[in-house]
Amino acid sequence: MTRKSVLKEYDSGGFYCEMLGNPEHPLTDTLPLQAHLEEIGLPSLKRRAAAAEDELYNLGITFTVYTEAEAIDRILPFDVIPRVLTADDWNTIETGVKQRVAAINLFLKDVYGKQQALKDGIVPKKLVLKNENYKKIMEGLTLPQDSYVHICGIDVVRDDSGTFQVLEDNGRCPSGVSYVVENRHLMLRTFPDLMDNIGIRPVSEYGVNLLNALAEVAPAGVMDPQIVLLSPGFFNSAYFEHVFLAREMGVPLVEGRDLYVDDDDCVYMKTVGGPKRVDVIYRRINDDFLDPEVFEPSSMLGVPGLMRSYAKGRVNLANAVGTGVADDKAVYAYMPRLIKYYLDEEPILQNVPTNICGEKEALKYTLDNLDKLVTKPVGEAGGYGVVVGPRATKAELDSLRKQVKADPAGYISQPMIRLSVSPTLIDGKVEPRHVDLRPFAVTGKSTWVLPGGLSRVALKRGSLVVNSSQGGGSKDTWVLEPGGGA
């Protein structure tokens, strides 16, 4: 598959291409973008890419890599060739994400309430109640709008046939939405001509929609809620995003030391004008560090007494405590069944087929096929601990086998998906690189999905690891208006 000019020597390598489609189903919606890229030409594309990178440095759009002592703060590599989703693609993703978020919230309400799905055997009781992310303190609490996951990131990939599949649910503190908005701003400044006469859905409304959703889940009777964003502080890897979101919403960015719980069990913020009551906290601190009276007693990040206030309905937290039990990699495997159970609907977005090593037959299959499967520890994030069987050495597989045998319930395995690729500017040439997509959903009284999401790209040839902490980059994600690509 070849194209002229910028794409002259581009070859998708037999993978589904987000720009060109595949030979059976070529993408005509992206023809205007292809034409604009040809008009710009490769030399100009490279010059503008360099300018965009300089701007990322100047704006301080960074994230932190803890494992590299010599390069703690780095910019997220940005590729200037956008990833495009047609209106039909987006309709599938948007409705699928809304359906999934609805099921996740119903599941959380159930497991912290009647536990009917556990009694009915839809999900193994042990998998939920023994899960380290299950927080018993949440049992019996009633939350505004029955909403537990207010901000959700659903990781989606596309296979050879062009079908979207869910790779992972992120229902705790999903990161990356700041890059979605900043990537678009960067494209508007450096490539305004690339968007000429192409209808692209905007992403600038995220802050407003997030603010509205958080206001909708304020404690009962609060008409003009005070909302804050609670951050661990500047040393956190996502601190740039915390600053960004607080600014987009126009709410105070606070740390634990800025808040306290008074004798009336309400949360107050220290201000120069005296204490100010806080009604909703968008917390970017993990459960275990939120309240030293209940969780980790040595934590200096949280607010003593916060769970007491939360349990009495004096303040609401987004996301709720204990949501990690729903985005656990093992519970994820049951999500299609949970969608059917709670909503009586077929899943719009299917899971990547998953073997739960805590189950006898799945364990045997996994151990017999380690060299063919992608094996993941259920408690890790950021791509750490993932072993891609076909690319692992014998020593790596032997080590993995021992780990899985020692703790079967701690692992899942999945077949290798031939992830789609997107044209990416690499060392002055346009080459195919694998991508995934993290759409972001915001839930108050209803669910809204940001049109686009974070497209992460594996910058190493052939690599499937797109995580920024392991060298991945990002792209602007364009969702075309209906007829916008014509």
Side-chain angles (χ1 to χ4, degrees):
M1 187 181 299
T2 59
R3 287 291 186 279
K4 294 180 179 180
S5 191
V6 169
L7 299 172
K8 180 179 179 181
E9 297 180 2
Y10 176 76
D11 187 328
S12 67
F15 295 97
Y16 185 92
C17 178
E18 298 290 341
M19 178 80 74
L20 308 178
N22 58 26
E24 291 77 25
H25 300 287
L27 280 176
T28 56
D29 299 61
T30 64
L31 288 175
L33 172 59
Q34 295 175 40
H36 285 336
L37 285 169
E38 290 188 7
E39 290 168 7
I40 290 173
L42 193 56
S44 178
L45 193 71
K46 289 190 287 187
R47 282 196 300 273
R48 293 202 235 179
E53 185 172 314
D54 289 343
E55 190 164 344
L56 285 173
Y57 275 112
N58 294 335
L59 293 173
I61 301 175
T62 62
F63 70 100
T64 305
V65 178
Y66 294 118
T67 56
E68 296 186 14
E70 295 180 357
I72 295 298
D73 289 312
R74 58 164 58 168
I75 64 165
L76 181 65
F78 174 67
D79 182 66
V80 296
I81 303 177
R83 183 251 190 91
V84 182
L85 295 167
T86 67
D88 288 343
D89 282 344
W90 182 247
N91 182 55
T92 300
I93 292 172
E94 182 181 36
T95 54
V97 166
K98 286 182 178 178
Q99 180 192 55
R100 203 159 177 110
V101 170
I104 289 172
N105 275 316
L106 288 168
F107 172 65
L108 286 165
K109 181 186 177 185
D110 188 19
V111 299
Y112 289 120
K114 297 179 179 177
Q115 299 186 343
Q116 198 60 47
L118 310 188
K119 295 171 185 171
D120 290 343
I122 306 301
V123 181
K125 185 180 294 185
K126 181 179 177 183
L127 190 65
V128 174
L129 302 185
K130 297 297 182 183
N131 191 305
E132 64 177 13
N133 295 308
Y134 182 82
K135 302 301 180 188
K136 194 171 178 60
I137 195 171
M138 291 295 294
E139 290 180 356
L141 296 191
T142 300
L143 303 185
Q145 313 299 336
D146 290 333
S147 185
Y148 288 74
V149 176
H150 310 87
I151 301 98
C152 193
I154 305 285
D155 289 349
V156 178
V157 296
R158 174 137 58 177
D159 65 16
D160 259 356
S161 68
T163 302
F164 293 106
Q165 297 184 11
V166 175
L167 196 60
E168 192 168 299
D169 301 302
N170 296 280
R172 281 172 269 186
C173 298
S175 291
V177 73
S178 59
Y179 300 114
V180 177
V181 180
E182 290 291 2
N183 285 350
R184 178 62 53 82
H185 292 167
L186 197 58
M187 288 298 290
L188 286 168
R189 288 192 292 271
T190 54
F191 286 90
D193 47 341
L194 200 56
M195 302 179 184
D196 284 349
N197 301 316
I198 299 179
I200 305 169
R201 295 188 61 179
V203 298
S204 57
E205 298 172 348
Y206 184 82
V208 171
N209 280 280
L210 177 60
L211 182 68
N212 291 339
L214 294 178
E216 288 174 354
V217 295
V222 177
M223 302 305 293
D224 184 18
Q226 173 65 60
I227 299 167
V228 301
L229 192 150
L230 176 61
S231 168
F234 71 91
F235 50 82
N236 184 267
S237 63
Y239 187 65
F240 165 78
E241 178 152 301
H242 303 167
V243 175
F244 173 88
L245 290 172
R247 186 186 68 211
E248 289 288 299
M249 288 192 288
V251 304
L253 176 66
V254 300
E255 297 180 25
R257 59 190 176 186
D258 300 318
L259 304 176
Y260 68 95
V261 178
D262 213 337
D263 293 340
D264 59 358
D265 291 330
C266 294
V267 178
Y268 291 90
M269 173 173 54
K270 303 168 189 172
T271 76
V272 293
K276 185 173 179 57
R277 183 171 169 178
V278 173
D279 305 296
V280 181
I281 300 175
Y282 179 17
R283 51 85 175 216
R284 296 296 294 259
I285 296 177
N286 292 339
D287 289 353
D288 291 341
F289 301 102
L290 265 180
D291 181 354
E293 288 186 1
V294 177
F295 301 118
E296 173 54 52
S298 64
S299 173
M300 303 290 286
L301 301 177
V303 183
L306 182 58
M307 287 303 296
R308 182 167 19 100
S309 180
Y310 183 47
K312 291 187 175 181
R314 308 287 168 76
V315 70
N316 199 8
L317 298 175
N319 287 341
V321 171
T323 57
V325 73
D327 74 1
D328 177 275
K329 288 186 176 65
V331 175
Y332 147 91
Y334 293 90
M335 201 51 66
R337 297 179 216 178
L338 291 172
I339 290 171
K340 182 70 176 174
Y341 179 74
Y342 289 118
L343 303 174
D344 194 23
E345 298 172 1
E346 294 299 324
I348 296 169
L349 295 171
Q350 289 290 344
N351 277 14
V352 173
T354 302
N355 307 298
I356 302 168
C357 297
E359 297 178 349
K360 188 176 178 181
E361 289 186 6
L363 174 62
K364 182 179 186 308
Y365 178 80
T366 298
L367 292 174
D368 289 345
N369 295 278
L370 278 182
D371 59 335
K372 304 180 185 67
L373 298 169
V374 178
T375 306
K376 303 176 179 180
V378 298
E380 293 285 357
Y384 291 105
V386 174
V387 176
V388 181
R391 297 177 184 175
T393 64
K394 183 177 182 304
E396 289 171 332
L397 292 176
D398 289 343
S399 174
L400 175 64
R401 187 180 305 280
K402 291 178 183 176
Q403 294 172 48
V404 174
K405 282 183 174 179
D407 180 24
Y411 288 85
I412 61 169
S413 68
Q414 296 170 324
M416 273 196 67
I417 302 295
R418 283 173 53 85
L419 299 189
S420 63
V421 296
S422 188
T424 304
L425 187 62
I426 303 289
D427 297 330
K429 295 189 295 184
V430 178
E431 298 183 350
R433 290 293 185 271
H434 295 293
V435 291
D436 76 350
L437 176 70
R438 176 176 291 180
F440 289 90
V442 173
T443 302
K445 291 181 179 177
S446 60
T447 296
W448 172 81
V449 187
L450 175 69
L454 180 64
S455 284
R456 299 182 297 183
V457 53
L459 296 178
K460 295 178 183 176
R461 179 186 291 273
S463 174
L464 299 173
V465 180
V466 298
N467 302 80
S468 54
S469 55
Q470 297 196 52
S474 73
K475 288 172 167 285
D476 190 13
T477 307
W478 290 7
V479 173
L480 301 180
E481 298 280 9

